[in-house]
Amino acid sequence: LVFFCLTFQLACCCGTAACSLCCKCCPKIKQSTSTRFMYALYFILVTIICCVMMSTTVANEMKMHIPFYKEMCKGIQAGEMCEKLVGYSAVYKVCFGMACFFFLFFLFTIKINSSKSCRAYIHNGFWLIKLIVLAAMCSGAFFIPDQDTFLNAWRYVGATGGCLFIVIQLILLVEFAHKWNKNWTAGANHKQVWSGLLALVTLLLYSIAVAALVLMALFYTRSEGCMYNKVLIGVNGGLCLFVSLVAISPCVQNRQPHSGLLQSGVISCYVMYLTFSALSSKPPETILDENNRNITICVPEFSQGLHRDENLVTGLGTTILFGCILYS
């Protein structure tokens, strides 16, 4: 009910006069909270669209079930089979439009000191118009001339922003785990059940990290070849062990008494996800078998031609992304 009222009250931003009577029954929220919620909602909406566009399953289903699919693709100049509307290149274009939208409002809100100023009023309202502008920017990216040069340049921007984004996610995860550990440790002073729950969750996190490490070593490596995968799994597994030892070292415990294995367990699971993402994105290797035939190695058999590991990476990444957005 509270979430419904929150959403309904946010809708009042688009039409205050029409909704004023209905909004009186809902709990009041701060304008800054509703603004952050709406911008996060826009971001999540575009992210979901990107996940759909990147899914090969969705693309294949569209080809099979949409009548006159090939003719429609040619009509909108999206390629013979709408290849310009799916895949990584399409996601880059949509994200470019979204990045321009948020960067525009970043410049627009510089040095705003009061919510009563004209620029602040625009920043906190006009959501329908902003949605139209966002859609126009995301759509306009598909009409940028010289697409190949644009995509090559934007990939470097995406790689740089991706590194920064991973750092921000790590900071949010560490802060979340630190507060989690601090609250449950404080509860353990009154009831021992909190100590048991803390130990259980920590054990569960490390079990997930170890299981992920073993499964990746099993499916993405073999006795000969796959040296890159072996190095990546070994180095990241070793770094997770190192972080765990640092978290319980005396020097860290003296400076941060609430530091413990819970934080390192959360980070270890996140690092295993990043490792899995890297392995599933890496092009597969091919070697000649005893019959001089090319065979694909260093990828799990269940993912060959089915993209199941890529879909799993997309699902996990989207879940982590939404969790970090809601937490922030």
Side-chain angles (χ1 to χ4, degrees):
L1 179 61
V2 173
F3 178 79
F4 172 78
C5 290
L6 173 64
T7 308
F8 199 84
Q9 189 169 7
L10 289 174
C12 296
C13 297
C14 299
T16 307
C19 301
S20 58
L21 293 177
C22 300
C23 289
K24 290 182 179 179
C25 64
C26 300
K28 292 184 178 181
I29 58 173
K30 293 181 179 179
Q31 189 179 48
S32 58
T33 303
S34 63
T35 299
R36 288 196 297 270
F37 182 86
M38 289 301 295
Y39 281 119
L41 194 63
Y42 284 176
F43 182 80
I44 291 174
L45 177 63
V46 176
T47 304
I48 293 175
I49 294 175
C50 289
C51 292
V52 172
M53 298 176 76
M54 211 163 65
S55 173
T56 54
T57 304
V58 174
N60 293 331
E61 290 294 325
M62 289 172 60
K63 294 176 185 177
M64 294 175 58
H65 295 94
I66 296 180
F68 310 106
Y69 182 78
K70 189 174 182 179
E71 291 76 9
M72 182 188 69
C73 293
K74 291 182 179 179
I76 61 176
Q77 297 181 352
E80 186 174 349
M81 296 302 289
C82 286
E83 59 270 11
K84 293 183 179 180
L85 297 181
V86 295
Y88 288 98
S89 61
V91 172
Y92 273 120
K93 296 169 190 174
V94 173
C95 289
F96 172 75
M98 181 175 61
C100 292
F101 174 81
F102 283 104
F103 185 73
L104 176 66
F105 278 93
F106 159 72
L107 296 177
F108 187 76
T109 54
I110 290 178
K111 293 185 178 181
I112 291 183
N113 300 320
S114 174
S115 60
K116 297 181 180 179
S117 65
C118 179
R119 287 190 296 160
Y121 180 73
I122 297 175
H123 175 67
N124 295 324
F126 300 97
W127 297 112
L128 181 59
I129 297 176
K130 289 177 182 176
L131 181 62
I132 296 174
V133 172
L134 176 61
M137 286 185 170
C138 293
S139 302
F142 287 88
F143 299 95
I144 295 176
D146 197 358
Q147 290 281 334
D148 293 335
T149 303
F150 161 73
L151 290 176
N152 289 332
W154 189 244
R155 284 190 185 101
Y156 289 102
V157 178
T160 305
C163 293
L164 179 62
F165 177 70
I166 290 175
V167 172
I168 293 174
Q169 276 195 330
L170 284 170
I171 293 174
L172 289 173
L173 287 172
V174 170
E175 182 187 6
F176 168 73
H178 182 77
K179 290 182 178 180
W180 185 5
N181 186 63
K182 183 178 179 180
N183 291 336
W184 282 23
T185 302
N189 297 328
H190 305 283
K191 291 183 179 181
Q192 290 299 320
V193 66
W194 292 107
S195 298
L197 287 175
L198 187 61
L200 179 62
V201 171
T202 303
L203 179 62
L204 180 62
L205 289 172
Y206 274 100
S207 299
I208 294 174
V210 172
L213 189 69
V214 172
L215 289 175
M216 285 187 291
L218 181 64
F219 287 113
Y220 287 95
T221 63
R222 52 181 292 165
S223 56
E224 52 283 335
C226 305
M227 183 56 63
Y228 177 85
N229 293 5
K230 293 175 181 176
V231 172
L232 188 63
I233 293 173
V235 169
N236 287 346
L239 289 175
C240 290
L241 178 61
F242 175 74
V243 169
S244 302
L245 295 176
V246 169
I248 58 176
S249 62
C251 58
V252 174
Q253 289 291 320
N254 292 333
R255 294 178 63 90
Q256 292 287 343
H258 294 289
S259 176
L261 292 176
L262 180 64
Q263 292 95 316
S264 57
V266 171
I267 296 304
S268 296
C269 288
Y270 182 67
V271 170
M272 289 300 104
Y273 156 73
L274 293 178
T275 306
F276 176 50
S277 175
L279 293 176
S280 65
S281 301
K282 177 180 173 291
E285 300 178 18
T286 57
I287 61 172
L288 293 176
D289 62 1
E290 58 274 6
N291 298 321
N292 290 327
R293 294 179 302 179
N294 283 328
I295 60 172
T296 302
I297 61 173
C298 307
V299 293
E301 294 182 0
F302 63 81
S303 69
Q304 295 185 18
L306 298 179
H307 303 279
R308 289 185 181 178
D309 52 351
E310 293 183 5
N311 292 338
L312 182 57
V313 167
T314 302
L316 289 173
T318 306
T319 303
I320 296 173
L321 171 66
F322 289 172
C324 288
I325 289 175
L326 293 175
Y327 176 72
S328 64

